[in-house]
Amino acid sequence: MLSLLLLLLLLPGSPAAPGMEDAAFPHLGESSQPLPWACPPRCSCPRADMVDCDGRDLRVFPNNITRAAQHLSLQNNQLQELPYNELSRLSDLRTLNLHNNLISSEGLPDEAFESLTQLQHIYVAHNKLSVAPQFLPRSLRVADLAANQVTEIFPLTFGEKPALRSVYLHNNQLSNAGLPADAFHGSEAVTTLSLSNNQLSYLPPSLPPSLERLHLQNNLIAKVPRGALSRQTHLRELYLQHNQLTDSGLDATTFSKLHRLEYLDLSHNQLAAVPAGLPRTLAVLHLGRNRIRQVEADRLRGARGLRYLLLQHNSLGAAGLPAGVLRPLRGLHTLHVYGNGLERVPLALPRRLRSLVLPHNRVAVLGARDLTSTPGLAELNLAYNRLASARVHRRAFRALRALRSLDLTGNQLTRLPSGLPIGLHTLRLQRNQLRALEPEPLAGLDQLRELSLAHNRLRVGDIGPGTWHELQALQVLDLSHNELSFVPPDLPAALEELHLQSNRISHVGPEAFLSTPGLRALFLRANRLHMTSIAPEAFLGLLHLHVVDTTGNPEQVLVQLPPTAPRRPRAWGP
């Protein structure tokens, strides 16, 4: 119903919005006056040319639909067949929506659409078709046959349709044998074709040359025949992920003539090398979850416009990204190489790189000059590597003046790194081996907003005086899963969210939060608190506090919020 009403509002002569005073617009729900046109029982007809039978549990095609109908919605019913004699009367029909019924190919006569010479949009997705209709009207613009059981289409299903723009055939059972070579002959305006989630073993030949978006993911494609994409010079997006492509299934000409290609997804295949012949226009190249061992410079030389290169979960080892191999990609914005076997940060990366994502590698050393080639880096993720404090040079981060986010989670650091960029907004150091905090490494970080130190070995006595002094903008502090016995003193004044869960805190004194008047959320669950462990005065002055989590302690903890603090949501007990 909603989709049909939206369509109504877009039609010429439609009111600007429901509820506007317009004598020609029938207000749904008003039954005092009969409609001036016939309407099938259990359906609604907001206009003389529109019939909406969406979700009415119909088992039989309505037999008294007006001949003037241009838009008919029968989706979400239990129809099993379309009677030719009823459908053939509706020669003015523009839109036919049969989505989500039980219609089989046997229930769809070959001649069903012969008289629908004005039909522009047909939606038969989520039915039980085993073959496509042999004939669809020449006037068609959009055809959706997705999520059926289609094994075969015919020359005139989509062929000879000069106005056809979009064809959706995903989630069927199509093999190459079920696609005739002339499937789109005479349909030279198709811009979107979805054949994903089928059983194709190679890229179909004779695709429309007008294609701009081609979805072929989740098939069995092992080969792109030579010349199969030579005519698709308008193609901008090509999705080939989750197939069985190997290096031998591609050649240097496969993509070379796609002079407008911007997005290419080849992830989840069996490629051992970056494909050759990539076009200069390519902006996004997704090669994740292949078997690539090394990136060769000549393979990327043509793709100088690349902005996003995704190489996660391949087999890149110590020599997988040779120094300077990516330097020609001057516009590269993001490089993802997580889940490989790199032992160092790749050297001589493009100077304009903004995001470097390297978690789950084997990086054990961070030298003084390893990051000097990327002064514009805003995000650096080195989580879950093998970095120890002794092997992180004190000047490793000095060149990164634009850095806003640094993730060193899951390494082997025993102390905070030195020389952190003063512009940092987010610093993640959870799951290391930190035993002490000193003020010097955090000095100057007056723009830091989020600091995570969870899952370390910190004790209150090992947090040096003045550690928090310069963190004037800090809003979120995570000290959970450490060895704290009480709330650390002199916390930053701007703090809004404090995580202290899973420590050894047994008492919260009356002055614990004097330095944090803006605190909104406090997490104290899974500590050693008892019923009266929190001093009644502890939350005085915390006018914004609305979450206090004390679940998982030995006893239910009494929490007394200040009288002016919001009472919803309430503080929690076990």
Side-chain angles (χ1 to χ4, degrees):
M1 171 75 78
L2 178 59
S3 61
L4 201 56
L5 287 176
L6 290 175
L7 182 59
L8 167 64
L9 296 178
L10 296 176
L11 292 173
S14 298
M20 293 181 63
E21 295 301 323
D22 189 334
F25 182 74
H27 297 276
L28 299 181
E30 296 180 358
S31 57
S32 57
Q33 297 181 352
L35 291 172
W37 48 80
C39 190
R42 300 170 64 187
C43 300
S44 64
C45 302
R47 286 175 51 142
D49 61 354
M50 184 172 292
V51 180
D52 184 4
C53 303
D54 179 359
R56 304 306 169 98
D57 199 30
L58 299 179
R59 298 172 184 271
V60 178
F61 192 91
N63 60 6
N64 57 344
I65 297 174
T66 173
R67 291 177 180 270
Q70 294 185 14
H71 309 282
L72 172 59
S73 177
L74 288 162
Q75 67 176 342
N76 302 318
N77 284 290
Q78 299 187 48
L79 301 179
Q80 297 185 35
E81 61 181 4
L82 297 183
Y84 170 72
N85 58 332
E86 289 295 331
L87 199 60
S88 61
R89 296 189 307 106
L90 308 178
S91 56
D92 287 338
L93 211 58
R94 266 69 166 175
T95 302
L96 177 58
N97 190 344
L98 297 164
H99 177 91
N100 196 26
N101 276 278
L102 302 172
I103 301 169
S104 65
S105 295
E106 291 74 17
L108 197 63
D110 289 341
E111 66 276 13
F113 304 105
E114 284 183 355
S115 61
L116 305 186
T117 56
Q118 306 298 316
L119 192 66
Q120 296 179 0
H121 302 83
I122 183 167
Y123 305 98
V124 202
H126 290 273
N127 277 277
K128 296 184 177 299
L129 301 180
S130 55
V131 295
Q134 290 202 29
F135 168 84
L136 288 174
R138 180 180 175 83
S139 54
L140 209 60
R141 295 176 61 88
V142 176
D144 186 356
L145 278 70
N148 279 277
Q149 302 160 20
V150 175
T151 60
E152 185 177 9
I153 66 173
F154 302 94
L156 290 181
T157 305
F158 304 117
E160 304 301 333
K161 311 283 187 292
L164 190 61
R165 295 291 187 274
S166 303
V167 176
Y168 302 98
L169 284 163
H170 50 277
N171 293 89
N172 277 288
Q173 299 176 21
L174 279 168
S175 65
N176 289 91
L179 283 171
D182 54 353
F184 296 96
H185 182 267
S187 300
E188 305 294 324
V190 178
T191 59
T192 299
L193 174 59
S194 179
L195 287 163
S196 58
N197 290 88
N198 277 282
Q199 299 174 17
L200 303 174
S201 57
Y202 57 89
L203 196 140
S206 303
L207 294 172
S210 52
L211 277 180
E212 296 179 7
R213 287 167 294 277
L214 177 57
H215 293 262
L216 289 162
Q217 62 267 36
N218 290 94
N219 275 278
L220 306 171
I221 296 174
K223 182 179 180 60
V224 178
R226 191 176 183 88
L229 292 170
S230 61
R231 298 169 62 240
Q232 283 66 42
T233 55
H234 297 276
L235 198 63
R236 294 190 291 109
E237 302 170 22
L238 177 55
Y239 301 87
L240 282 164
Q241 67 268 32
H242 289 279
N243 276 286
Q244 299 178 12
L245 286 167
T246 61
D247 296 342
S248 61
L250 306 174
D251 61 41
T253 68
T254 300
F255 308 111
S256 62
K257 295 186 179 180
L258 304 179
H259 301 308
R260 298 186 185 181
L261 191 66
E262 298 173 4
Y263 187 101
L264 176 58
D265 194 339
L266 291 164
S267 62
H268 295 268
N269 277 282
Q270 301 170 27
L271 301 175
V274 176
L278 296 172
R280 182 181 293 271
T281 54
L282 196 62
V284 180
L285 177 57
H286 199 330
L287 290 167
R289 293 194 181 274
N290 276 280
R291 302 174 181 177
I292 299 172
R293 295 182 176 275
Q294 187 178 52
V295 176
E296 301 172 19
D298 62 330
R299 294 299 178 95
L300 290 171
R301 190 167 290 124
R304 293 180 180 272
L306 203 62
R307 289 183 52 77
Y308 298 87
L309 178 56
L310 312 179
L311 287 162
Q312 64 269 26
H313 295 290
N314 274 280
S315 302
L316 298 172
L321 281 171
V325 68
L326 302 180
R327 201 61 183 264
L329 306 179
R330 296 181 179 180
L332 193 66
H333 177 283
T334 298
L335 174 60
H336 280 208
V337 283
Y338 55 81
N340 281 280
L342 300 176
E343 297 179 2
R344 296 201 67 157
V345 174
L347 300 177
L349 292 170
R351 290 185 61 81
R352 296 180 185 175
L353 192 68
R354 297 283 291 169
S355 177
L356 178 56
V357 184
L358 271 163
H360 293 282
N361 277 275
R362 300 174 185 172
V363 179
V365 178
L366 206 52
R369 301 188 59 80
D370 286 1
L371 296 166
T372 55
S373 67
T374 54
L377 207 61
E379 177 192 6
L380 175 58
N381 190 331
L382 287 165
Y384 298 100
N385 276 280
R386 301 178 181 181
L387 290 169
S389 292
R391 306 199 72 183
V392 178
H393 196 278
R394 59 186 178 83
R395 299 181 63 86
F397 304 106
R398 288 289 176 89
L400 305 181
R401 296 180 180 179
L403 196 66
R404 298 294 178 263
S405 176
L406 175 58
D407 195 339
L408 294 167
T409 299
N411 279 280
Q412 301 166 22
L413 302 175
T414 55
R415 60 179 183 270
L416 294 178
S418 301
L420 294 172
I422 61 174
L424 273 181
H425 291 173
T426 302
L427 176 58
R428 296 187 176 93
L429 288 158
Q430 62 264 37
R431 296 187 183 277
N432 276 279
Q433 300 172 21
L434 300 177
R435 293 180 177 271
L437 297 179
E438 297 295 337
E440 288 78 9
L442 297 175
L445 300 185
D446 56 4
Q447 298 181 46
L448 194 66
R449 300 170 187 171
E450 181 180 343
L451 175 59
S452 179
L453 296 163
H455 291 275
N456 279 286
R457 300 180 181 181
L458 295 171
R459 299 183 181 184
V460 175
D462 298 323
I463 301 176
T467 294
W468 319 111
H469 179 68
E470 296 195 35
L471 305 183
Q472 301 172 7
L474 194 67
Q475 297 176 347
V476 179
L477 176 59
D478 191 346
L479 287 164
S480 62
H481 296 273
N482 276 283
E483 300 174 11
L484 305 177
S485 55
F486 56 91
V487 179
D490 301 320
L491 292 170
L495 204 62
E496 297 182 1
E497 188 174 315
L498 178 59
H499 293 261
L500 292 169
Q501 60 267 32
S502 298
N503 276 282
R504 302 174 181 178
I505 299 172
S506 59
H507 177 71
V508 178
E511 300 181 352
F513 305 108
L514 283 180
S515 65
T516 57
L519 198 63
R520 296 176 178 272
L522 174 63
F523 300 90
L524 284 164
R525 63 178 177 267
N527 274 283
R528 300 179 180 180
L529 297 171
H530 292 268
M531 182 178 295
T532 58
S533 293
I534 299 179
E537 308 88 355
F539 302 134
L540 286 177
L542 302 183
L543 304 182
H544 304 286
L545 187 65
H546 65 276
V547 171
V548 179
D549 181 0
T550 59
T551 57
N553 280 282
E555 293 181 2
Q556 182 174 353
V557 181
L558 295 178
V559 175
Q560 184 174 350
L561 295 176
T564 55
R567 291 290 178 176
R568 188 176 61 87
R570 299 178 61 186
W572 300 314

